[in-house]
Amino acid sequence: TSRDAIIGRAFSIGAALAYGASAVLIKYGVTGLAPPLVGTAVALLSGTLVLAITGARHIDRTSLAQNRWAIVFLLLSGIASGLGILSSFFALSLAPIVVVAPIQNIFPLFALLGAYLFLGHLERITSKLVLGSFLVVFGVILVTVGRLG
């Protein structure tokens, strides 16, 4: 529904704000204060606690037990997210945030490819969506090359 689409966009903006703040906090935390692996562990633990507190009442054990593939995909998602966060901590410990943050945001290409390969029955890939993803990546290239040069 259109209400869901509006709420989804609002949550997307919230995610962008949280990820932007997170990058700054990570950079500060790993710059002489904690090694990337320790920082990742602390961040993931605190995130897990927040999720446990806010989401525990929404767990439907019956649905999870009936759909084992959903559990597999959620576990794989957790592994991918953990690796992404770990990579982010290491990247921010080694390179400037103004270079790392834009490079990390080429993920629309990977999401687009994944949606095309695995979610064709759920997601509609349009030419506007493909163009928008490539424009994001082109912007990242401009920012990164500008910072390196």
Side-chain angles (χ1 to χ4, degrees):
T1 67
S2 64
R3 182 177 184 272
D4 288 343
I6 292 169
I7 292 171
R9 286 180 176 92
F11 273 113
S12 297
I13 292 168
L17 290 170
Y19 282 128
S22 175
V24 172
L25 295 169
I26 291 168
K27 182 66 176 180
Y28 184 77
V30 297
T31 304
L33 298 178
L37 198 54
V38 172
T40 303
V42 170
L44 288 177
L45 179 60
S46 63
T48 300
L49 290 174
V50 168
L51 290 174
I53 291 167
T54 60
R57 64 188 169 117
H58 297 287
I59 295 174
D60 181 1
R61 291 188 177 112
T62 306
S63 294
L64 287 176
Q66 291 173 351
N67 191 346
R68 297 201 189 279
W69 277 112
I71 294 171
V72 170
F73 288 124
L74 292 173
L75 289 171
L76 291 172
S77 168
I79 291 168
S81 295
L83 291 172
I85 293 168
L86 181 62
S87 297
S88 179
F89 272 78
F90 274 99
L92 287 166
S93 73
L94 299 168
I97 191 172
V98 294
V99 172
V100 171
I103 292 172
Q104 288 178 342
N105 284 300
I106 63 169
F107 74 87
L109 283 184
F110 299 110
L112 185 67
L113 179 62
Y116 176 76
L117 294 175
F118 302 110
L119 301 175
H121 62 290
L122 296 175
E123 298 282 334
R124 189 168 154 249
I125 309 297
T126 64
S127 57
K128 286 182 182 180
L129 187 62
V130 173
L131 178 62
S133 295
F134 278 100
L135 287 173
V136 167
V137 173
F138 181 69
V140 167
I141 292 168
L142 289 176
V143 169
T144 303
V145 169
R147 288 289 177 186
L148 295 176

